[in-house]
């Protein structure tokens, strides 16, 4: 059984000797890997038995993960919460990560075997703001940027909002979980760099057409996650149509808790000089219009 | 029962574990996760007199068993710290060590005066060893006179425990410890980070926006322990040791080498709940070795001359 | 095709990979396992004039991503080396860099004279940076005059390429590179190991019989790369860089920082068949970047001033 | 398939493109773990698919092993070759290690899963000298010091020599492979520290009695492996009865190939001053009478 290290030794303990904690406090779990599903040569989904983390997580939040003991690699890595896992009775049993292999830790997670353990701290950071009741919600994902949108889609659909997913990948093999989104009632707009599925080209293509086709009186809220140039383009495109965009930024993070100041994002308020704010505390979700993209 | 308390000058710490400066924010960030009063103390993020922007990202790079940082001392300045953070820290019962940095000797003294006036500060750590800023910091820490002058100037304006933080980027760290002691320091802390860099070979660009950064983490521990050992032989005032502490055994290694207390930096990023684990480990060690308290461990390194009878070689 | 050759003064190496001194025995130990002529060169284990016993075990300790060694320069002395090992090395077609160590300036010169007479030595590396011996070694390497004197004395007795090996245990390594250049060195190599120690907390004894040892391995790489970068800006003669090289990317990091060649030490313990892998990695890099040869990589670090528009902080 | 990195790129290659190598040259194999048998809370046997190493290995030789990628732990560790593994047809398929969990790497090897890979370089070092045709062979093992003796016993029995194994452990649970040795025709003398099996006490007890009970005209060759104090005691006891002992020493080894000079053993020749010789090249098997035990 994964053991959740709870915060604060001074907190009261319940009869079982476990500490009682209030909701929405990050916990650190030595989580057992339930399964590892390799989706392609680069992508996989790792399911972790971390119910205490999963129960608290809201769409857009992240966890800090360390699959290996030892000091090389040393630091944890940030990952979006991809799915909340439940058993037949609907009880939360854990969460999954959508992992893209690009370096040491993501390679390790790509190869992780069921039964192994992954240290998992969370949930952390700010969630996406929910749209207003009368707003449409458009999600714009590039590659592994899909990760935060499955839980977001679920919560949007719960509130029965009109939701669309603009989703771009390298090729047809690089687009995942399409049926899952469709079964939630999400309208898909797919693009691939090589044209093997959906529109040929960048995800901003269909997005632009959709923005142009939508009446300015229809209220739309945009959410974007993917490569930085994509998020910038989405933000600028949306702004040109009078829409604002939540972006989920992928800054390098040393601690995830506000301790190291490594993860800063340059943010501008109207007229104010740029300030560096910590993405792990004030993000990873930012109003794209406030990000000083030239400094990022 | 096992007594973990240690004393640095007039300052009594419940245990020797201090959160290292720059690795625990202003402390308040961790208040929900860690009972701040269970720590020996908290060395808050380095403060200048004024607010500072710091360096643009990328600010950290992971390296084998270590990390480079070039944060550039982004900070809210000492006055906002005193107004906004200090009261909350004290409310949590934290022992607060304020890490300060100046571009001039006068700036150090001015910050120290503000902290002295603030009343609830427990100690001042003089960051004369930050490798990430062009003016101040290591400029003083790499000069014996500079070290002496900063310590003496701060000493004149406050009775708070004053602890200069030494840089490891020097030939003879013990001479700097001596300079600090002579100038009236109550303790020295060491080590700050090692000046280092990393290059992205694909782009042939430095990985850090600031080009150079400071190396911390377990990679540097053997060098840091050596430096504590050297300083222990050169000075009488207490040493606060640090550099790559990850386990209770690492804490003990520094203490046996001569440190009265330690700071834990990078490890807190890897495991923010490390504190209880370290304390448990220290208690277990005292039990295992049947020792009443941690103070008996300080400087207990046994150096025994082993005679080599070998005269030739193969 | 991709040209891996590099030139250090009058010495042309088929590729930049030199086996680091003390990490490849006298080279002959590896003759069955590695084709010695496929290496850029072999820096043999440090030699004194006379045979030496070295320190009693324990001589090495593993540390996070690194190791400490205090071998104490056990060795067969220069004359036995010339008589017993050098012919075999040359028979295998090896480029031989002889690493030498003395307790006096005169001893360095005397060894150099013997090597000069030996005829088939390709270069002399002056170990003025060994942290493991009480007399000689780092004594010279930590003094600008000492560095200058040793280099100048050896320069007078031989026309062989002379390359002092600098210690990282100094405040300003570049000033030592300058001293070496001024004294007539053909190149400098850096870094030797970092003075360090490790303590067994259960026995409270040093883990090494010699108490102090030298830290090598990937742990130190970011510091070593920084030092190469600093020296590159201070001197014109070639630099042979080392410290923690484990992969072709690490080789390139040193070369981009300014090294003309590199040495590989600790990695050879981990993987004695590393050489072909490194060479393959270098060739792949040249192909990937469409470069004709490795020399274009040397010192190619792009330093671009990034302007920080941020004025205040949060 | 494990790939054997062969020595010397200049060696000729055979038709398959693999290099041809002569016998008894160490090879480095990225060996697949065939099985992991945990014998107790501390001991296990790891079988490695490293036929090219196994085929060449002689009793007493060792391999340098690294189970983990990454730089922490950094160095390989030395292990005796415990068993040579063969398939039904008698073809060599690999080797096994008898592992005792005492630190980082041995803990990793204790937990290693089949299918994982372990880098394995060998065989290395000097083998035990075979006894003369008319000699009895007595092996004296303490704990994990049993490791080199199974292959030795097999080769002794092949030459049909009278062999005995004096074998001491902490308790009955700490004595392994007894039936294997018995089925080879080895006479067992067991001891345990707690008296739960065999003689109560140290392995030197029964050894002393056996030495006393054996006529000086019977030629006996002793082999010993275990904790240093045990090997010293065995050497001294044997010497007192006019017998010499091969000891297999466990020095810390950085490279296993003569490159680092970390593994030195202080050795004395009659009258000569002590010299430090490299255990990985001139050992790990030494004539116990030549070891300067005071310096070890
Ligand atoms: C809030 C947040 C959520 C994330 N969610 C996911 C997710 O759900 N799934 C997923 O696969 N990834 C996600 N990421 C990215 C993930 O954290 C990185 O891919 C991971 O840290 C890489 O670790 P590594 O050890 O594999 O790579 P390393 O070996 O550390 O690095 C490999 C290379 O990639 C570069 N690199 C590493 N991290 C980053 C980064 N964040 N930005 C730019 N370059 C980088 C390094 O500089 C290096 O060149 C998220 C990041 C953040 C900040
Ligand atoms: C030729 C040879 C053959 C060996 N055969 C076997 C074998 O068949 N099975 C087996 O289980 N072990 C064998 N050993 C011992 C084995 O190599 C060590 O147990 C192993 O290196 C420990 O690695 P670790 O990473 O687990 O321990 P570490 O984490 O490196 O060390 C743990 C602790 O043990 C100490 N230590 C480590 N190695 C030694 C050593 N060699 N001597 C004394 N103290 C040490 C360290 O100083 C430390 O305090 C052999 C050793 C040699 C030299
Ligand atoms: C991200 C980061 C920021 C740091 N900022 C400061 C600082 O503001 N002032 C200071 O004196 N030291 C600073 N340090 C140095 C640490 O306090 C400590 O001396 C060093 O990291 C070695 O300890 P460690 O290996 O436990 O991290 C910083 C270190 C890191 C990693
Ligand atoms: C076991 C060992 C022995 C060494 N002996 C010598 C030596 O005799 N002379 C010398 O100049 N450097 C010696 N060195 C230093 C190495 O040549 C090299 O400078 C250092 O290890 C850093 O490189 P690395 O990290 O690749 O090992 C030795 C290093 C090790 C690990
Ligand atoms: S990741 Fe450390 S402050 Fe944000
Ligand atoms: S282990 Fe390196 S010389 Fe023996």
């Amino acid at each position: 059984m994964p053991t959740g290290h709870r915060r604060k030794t001074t907190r009261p303990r319940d009869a079982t000797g476990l500490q009682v904690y209030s909701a929405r406090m990050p916990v650190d779990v030595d989580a057992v890997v339930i399964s590892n599903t390799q989706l392609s040569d680069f992508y996989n989904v790792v399911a972790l038995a971390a119910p205490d983390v999963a129960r608290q997580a809201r769409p857009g939040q992240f966890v800090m993960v360390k699959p290996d003991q030892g000091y090389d690699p040393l630091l944890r890595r940030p990952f979006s919460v991809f799915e909340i896992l439940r058993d037949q009775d609907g009880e939360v049993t854990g969460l999954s990560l959508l992992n893209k292999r690009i370096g040491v830790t993501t390679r390790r997670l790509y190869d992780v075997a069921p039964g192994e353990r992954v240290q998992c701290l969370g949930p952390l950071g700010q969630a996406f703001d929910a749209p207003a009741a009368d707003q449409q919600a458009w999600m714009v994902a590039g590659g592994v940027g899909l990760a935060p949108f499955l839980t977001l889609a679920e919560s949007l659909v719960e509130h029965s909002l009109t939701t669309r997913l603009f989703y771009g990948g390298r090729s047809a093999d690089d687009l995942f979980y399409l049926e899952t989104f469709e079964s939630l009632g999400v309208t898909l707009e797919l693009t691939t760099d090589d044209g093997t599925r959906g529109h040929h080209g960048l995800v901003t293509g269909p997005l632009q057409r959709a923005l142009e086709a939508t009446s300015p009186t229809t209220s739309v809220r945009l959410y974007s996650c993917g490569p930085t140039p994509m998020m910038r383009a989405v933000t600028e495109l949306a702004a040109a149509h009078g829409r604002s965009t939540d972006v989920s930024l992928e800054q390098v993070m040393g601690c995830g808790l506000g301790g190291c100041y490594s993860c800063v994002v340059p943010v501008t308020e109207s007229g104010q000089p740029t300030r560096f704010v910590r993405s792990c505390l004030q993000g990873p979700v930012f109003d794209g219009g406030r990000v000083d993209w030239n400094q990022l | 029962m096992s007594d973990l308390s240690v004393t640095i000058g007039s300052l009594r710490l419940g245990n020797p574990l201090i959160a290292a400066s720059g690795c625990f924010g202003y402390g308040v960030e961790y208040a929900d996760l860690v009972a701040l009063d269970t720590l020996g103390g908290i060395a808050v993020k380095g403060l200048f007199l004024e607010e500072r922007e710091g360096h643009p990202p990328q600010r950290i790079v992971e390296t084998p068993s270590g990390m480079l940082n070039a944060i550039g001392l982004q900070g809210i300045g000492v006055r906002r710290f005193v107004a906004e953070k200090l009261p909350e820290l004290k409310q949590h019962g934290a022992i607060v060590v304020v890490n300060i940095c100046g571009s001039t000797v006068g700036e150090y003294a001015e910050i120290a005066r503000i902290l002295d006036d603030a009343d609830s500060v427990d100690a001042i750590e003089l960051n004369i060893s930050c490798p990430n800023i062009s003016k101040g910091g290591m400029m003083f820490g790499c000069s014996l006179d500079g070290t002496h002058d900063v310590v003496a100037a701060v000493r004149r304006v406050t009775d708070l425990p004053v602890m200069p933080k030494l840089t490891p980027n020097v030939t003879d760290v013990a001479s700097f410890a001596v300079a600090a002691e002579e100038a009236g320091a109550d303790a020295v802390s060491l080590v700050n980070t090692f000046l280092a860099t990393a290059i992205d070979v694909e782009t042939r660009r430095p990985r850090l926006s600031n080009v150079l950064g400071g190396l911390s983490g377990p990679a540097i521990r053997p060098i840091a322990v050596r430096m504590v050992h050297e300083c222990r032989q050169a000075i009488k005032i207490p040493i606060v040791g640090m550099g790559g502490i990850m386990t209770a055994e690492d804490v003990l290694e520094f203490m046996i080498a001569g440190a009265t207390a330690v700071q834990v930096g990078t490890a807190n990023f890897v495991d923010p709940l490390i504190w209880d684990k370290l304390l448990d480990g220290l208690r277990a060690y005292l039990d295992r070795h049947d020792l009443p308290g941690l103070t008996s461990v300080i400087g207990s390194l046994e150096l025994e001359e082993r005679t080599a009878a070998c005269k030739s070689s193969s």
Side-chain angles (χ1 to χ4, degrees), chain A residues 24-97:
Chain A
R24 305 229 188 278
M25 277 192 173
V27 288
D28 190 23
V29 176
D30 188 22
V32 170
V33 174
I34 303 167
S35 66
N36 175 2
T37 314
Q38 297 187 342
L39 305 174
S40 72
D41 282 354
F42 284 92
Y43 285 88
N44 66 322
V45 174
V46 180
L48 298 177
D52 294 346
V53 181
R55 256 191 297 273
Q56 303 183 62
R58 289 174 297 159
Q61 287 193 293
F62 65 97
V63 291
M64 291 294 287
V65 154
K66 184 170 161 72
D68 273 302
Q69 307 243 307
Y71 305 144
D72 179 44
L74 179 64
L75 299 171
R76 295 181 188 231
R77 299 290 192 274
F79 285 84
S80 299
V81 174
F82 180 48
E83 296 162 297
I84 306 294
L85 308 174
R86 295 171 192 277
D87 63 14
Q88 301 100 305
D89 307 327
E91 278 294 305
V92 171
T93 58
L95 54 82
S96 78
L97 310 176

Side-chain angles (χ1 to χ4, degrees), chain A residues 43 60-63 73 76-82 97-108 144 147-148 225 248-253 279 284, chain B residues 58 61-62 200 207:
Chain A
Y43 285 88
Q61 287 193 293
F62 65 97
V63 291
R76 295 181 188 231
R77 299 290 192 274
F79 285 84
S80 299
V81 174
F82 180 48
L97 310 176
L98 175 65
N99 176 61
K100 183 181 177 190
R101 185 160 66 83
I102 64 151
V104 194
T105 299
T106 50
R107 196 180 313 130
R108 190 69 186 76
V144 75
C225 186
S248 178
L249 297 177
E250 284 202 2
Q251 295 300 89
V252 170
M253 287 186 177
S279 185
Chain B
Q58 184 159 338
V61 177
E62 183 163 322
D200 182 329
R207 286 190 185 270

Side-chain angles (χ1 to χ4, degrees), chain A residues 5-11 25-26 28 66 71-77 121 251-255 257-262 264 266 276-278 281 295, chain B residues 22-26 29-33 35 38 45 53-60 62 64-66 71 74 218 246-247 266 269-273 276:
Chain A
H5 293 287
R6 299 286 148 57
R7 320 169 144 207
K8 278 239 193 189
T9 45
T10 49
R11 270 166 211 287
M25 277 192 173
D28 190 23
K66 184 170 161 72
Y71 305 144
D72 179 44
L74 179 64
L75 299 171
R76 295 181 188 231
R77 299 290 192 274
L121 169 75
Q251 295 300 89
V252 170
M253 287 186 177
C255 70
L257 287 165
C260 71
Y261 281 72
S262 67
V264 291
F276 284 134
V277 307
R278 285 167 288 180
L281 291 185
Q295 299 267 331
Chain B
C23 304
F24 206 68
Y26 296 112
E29 290 88 343
Y30 287 84
D32 281 343
L33 202 64
T38 60
K45 193 165 164 41
E53 61 196 286
H55 300 309
Q58 184 159 338
R59 291 180 166 188
I60 63 166
E62 183 163 322
S65 297
I71 309 296
Q74 173 171 357
M246 304 294 288
T247 66
T266 304
F269 302 154
V270 180
D271 181 4
L273 297 166
D276 277 352

